[in-house]
PDB file of all heavy atoms in Angstrom:
ATOM      1  N   GLU B 344     129.082 141.985 127.359  1.00 97.00           N
ATOM      2  CA  GLU B 344     130.631 141.842 127.046  1.00 97.00           C
ATOM      3  C   GLU B 344     130.760 141.142 125.724  1.00 97.00           C
ATOM      4  O   GLU B 344     129.853 140.456 125.267  1.00 97.00           O
ATOM      5  CB  GLU B 344     131.295 141.028 128.221  1.00 97.00           C
ATOM      6  CG  GLU B 344     130.847 139.579 128.183  1.00 97.00           C
ATOM      7  CD  GLU B 344     131.814 138.672 129.048  1.00 97.00           C
ATOM      8  OE1 GLU B 344     132.331 139.142 130.003  1.00 97.00           O
ATOM      9  OE2 GLU B 344     132.016 137.563 128.583  1.00 97.00           O
ATOM     10  N   ILE B 345     131.901 141.394 125.149  1.00 98.00           N
ATOM     11  CA  ILE B 345     132.303 140.687 123.934  1.00 98.00           C
ATOM     12  C   ILE B 345     133.740 140.299 124.096  1.00 98.00           C
ATOM     13  O   ILE B 345     134.540 141.152 124.544  1.00 98.00           O
ATOM     14  CB  ILE B 345     131.970 141.541 122.727  1.00 98.00           C
ATOM     15  CG1 ILE B 345     132.186 140.750 121.413  1.00 98.00           C
ATOM     16  CG2 ILE B 345     132.682 142.886 122.674  1.00 98.00           C
ATOM     17  CD1 ILE B 345     131.680 141.393 120.148  1.00 98.00           C
ATOM     18  N   GLY B 346     134.091 139.147 123.603  1.00 97.00           N
ATOM     19  CA  GLY B 346     135.467 138.708 123.668  1.00 97.00           C
ATOM     20  C   GLY B 346     135.585 137.220 123.283  1.00 97.00           C
ATOM     21  O   GLY B 346     134.825 136.643 122.747  1.00 97.00           O
ATOM     22  N   GLY B 347     136.785 136.802 123.658  1.00 97.00           N
ATOM     23  CA  GLY B 347     137.086 135.387 123.431  1.00 97.00           C
ATOM     24  C   GLY B 347     138.384 134.918 124.022  1.00 97.00           C
ATOM     25  O   GLY B 347     139.091 135.642 124.680  1.00 97.00           O
ATOM     26  N   GLN B 348     138.733 133.654 123.838  1.00 97.00           N
ATOM     27  CA  GLN B 348     139.979 133.112 124.297  1.00 97.00           C
ATOM     28  C   GLN B 348     140.534 132.032 123.315  1.00 97.00           C
ATOM     29  O   GLN B 348     139.679 131.524 122.594  1.00 97.00           O
ATOM     30  CB  GLN B 348     139.837 132.524 125.706  1.00 97.00           C
ATOM     31  CG  GLN B 348     138.893 131.300 125.662  1.00 97.00           C
ATOM     32  CD  GLN B 348     138.941 130.479 127.018  1.00 97.00           C
ATOM     33  OE1 GLN B 348     139.935 130.580 127.706  1.00 97.00           O
ATOM     34  NE2 GLN B 348     137.922 129.653 127.254  1.00 97.00           N
ATOM     35  N   ILE B 349     141.759 131.816 123.336  1.00 96.00           N
ATOM     36  CA  ILE B 349     142.347 130.732 122.549  1.00 96.00           C
ATOM     37  C   ILE B 349     143.263 129.935 123.519  1.00 96.00           C
ATOM     38  O   ILE B 349     144.010 130.494 124.293  1.00 96.00           O
ATOM     39  CB  ILE B 349     143.127 131.217 121.344  1.00 96.00           C
ATOM     40  CG1 ILE B 349     143.760 130.069 120.658  1.00 96.00           C
ATOM     41  CG2 ILE B 349     144.196 132.229 121.682  1.00 96.00           C
ATOM     42  CD1 ILE B 349     144.181 130.359 119.187  1.00 96.00           C
ATOM     43  N   ASP B 350     143.079 128.640 123.548  1.00 95.00           N
ATOM     44  CA  ASP B 350     143.946 127.662 124.408  1.00 95.00           C
ATOM     45  C   ASP B 350     144.705 126.873 123.435  1.00 95.00           C
ATOM     46  O   ASP B 350     144.155 126.302 122.493  1.00 95.00           O
ATOM     47  CB  ASP B 350     143.012 126.860 125.171  1.00 95.00           C
ATOM     48  CG  ASP B 350     142.830 127.453 126.590  1.00 95.00           C
ATOM     49  OD1 ASP B 350     143.831 127.712 127.286  1.00 95.00           O
ATOM     50  OD2 ASP B 350     141.641 127.667 126.977  1.00 95.00           O
ATOM     51  N   VAL B 351     145.984 126.572 123.720  1.00 95.00           N
ATOM     52  CA  VAL B 351     146.751 125.700 123.009  1.00 95.00           C
ATOM     53  C   VAL B 351     147.440 124.644 124.015  1.00 95.00           C
ATOM     54  O   VAL B 351     148.079 125.183 124.991  1.00 95.00           O
ATOM     55  CB  VAL B 351     147.861 126.356 122.008  1.00 95.00           C
ATOM     56  CG1 VAL B 351     148.752 125.221 121.387  1.00 95.00           C
ATOM     57  CG2 VAL B 351     147.215 127.301 121.119  1.00 95.00           C
ATOM     58  N   PHE B 352     147.220 123.423 123.838  1.00 94.00           N
ATOM     59  CA  PHE B 352     147.860 122.398 124.709  1.00 94.00           C
ATOM     60  C   PHE B 352     148.718 121.550 123.758  1.00 94.00           C
ATOM     61  O   PHE B 352     148.264 121.058 122.732  1.00 94.00           O
ATOM     62  CB  PHE B 352     146.790 121.494 125.445  1.00 94.00           C
ATOM     63  CG  PHE B 352     145.912 122.248 126.370  1.00 94.00           C
ATOM     64  CD1 PHE B 352     144.717 122.773 125.877  1.00 94.00           C
ATOM     65  CD2 PHE B 352     146.186 122.282 127.706  1.00 94.00           C
ATOM     66  CE1 PHE B 352     143.895 123.398 126.746  1.00 94.00           C
ATOM     67  CE2 PHE B 352     145.373 122.942 128.567  1.00 94.00           C
ATOM     68  CZ  PHE B 352     144.199 123.529 128.056  1.00 94.00           C
ATOM     69  N   TYR B 353     149.879 121.304 124.178  1.00 93.00           N
ATOM     70  CA  TYR B 353     150.823 120.539 123.341  1.00 93.00           C
ATOM     71  C   TYR B 353     151.687 119.581 124.128  1.00 93.00           C
ATOM     72  O   TYR B 353     152.228 119.990 125.103  1.00 93.00           O
ATOM     73  CB  TYR B 353     151.715 121.346 122.415  1.00 93.00           C
ATOM     74  CG  TYR B 353     152.480 120.561 121.347  1.00 93.00           C
ATOM     75  CD1 TYR B 353     151.722 119.699 120.504  1.00 93.00           C
ATOM     76  CD2 TYR B 353     153.836 120.513 121.296  1.00 93.00           C
ATOM     77  CE1 TYR B 353     152.518 118.978 119.569  1.00 93.00           C
ATOM     78  CE2 TYR B 353     154.480 119.822 120.409  1.00 93.00           C
ATOM     79  CZ  TYR B 353     153.775 118.895 119.553  1.00 93.00           C
ATOM     80  OH  TYR B 353     154.475 118.147 118.635  1.00 93.00           O
ATOM     81  N   ASN B 354     151.647 118.292 123.706  1.00 91.00           N
ATOM     82  CA  ASN B 354     152.447 117.204 124.424  1.00 91.00           C
ATOM     83  C   ASN B 354     153.775 117.060 123.621  1.00 91.00           C
ATOM     84  O   ASN B 354     153.730 116.418 122.521  1.00 91.00           O
ATOM     85  CB  ASN B 354     151.648 116.010 124.506  1.00 91.00           C
ATOM     86  CG  ASN B 354     152.423 114.913 125.258  1.00 91.00           C
ATOM     87  OD1 ASN B 354     153.373 115.189 126.032  1.00 91.00           O
ATOM     88  ND2 ASN B 354     151.954 113.681 125.155  1.00 91.00           N
ATOM     89  N   VAL B 355     154.853 117.632 124.006  1.00 91.00           N
ATOM     90  CA  VAL B 355     156.065 117.459 123.198  1.00 91.00           C
ATOM     91  C   VAL B 355     156.585 116.055 123.492  1.00 91.00           C
ATOM     92  O   VAL B 355     156.806 115.675 124.584  1.00 91.00           O
ATOM     93  CB  VAL B 355     157.243 118.448 123.747  1.00 91.00           C
ATOM     94  CG1 VAL B 355     158.454 118.328 122.835  1.00 91.00           C
ATOM     95  CG2 VAL B 355     156.695 119.900 123.672  1.00 91.00           C
TER      96      VAL B 355
END
Side-chain angles (χ1 to χ4, degrees):
Chain B
E344 69 165 37
I345 185 166
Q348 68 166 337
I349 179 166
D350 265 303
V351 179
F352 297 87
Y353 186 59
N354 184 18
V355 184

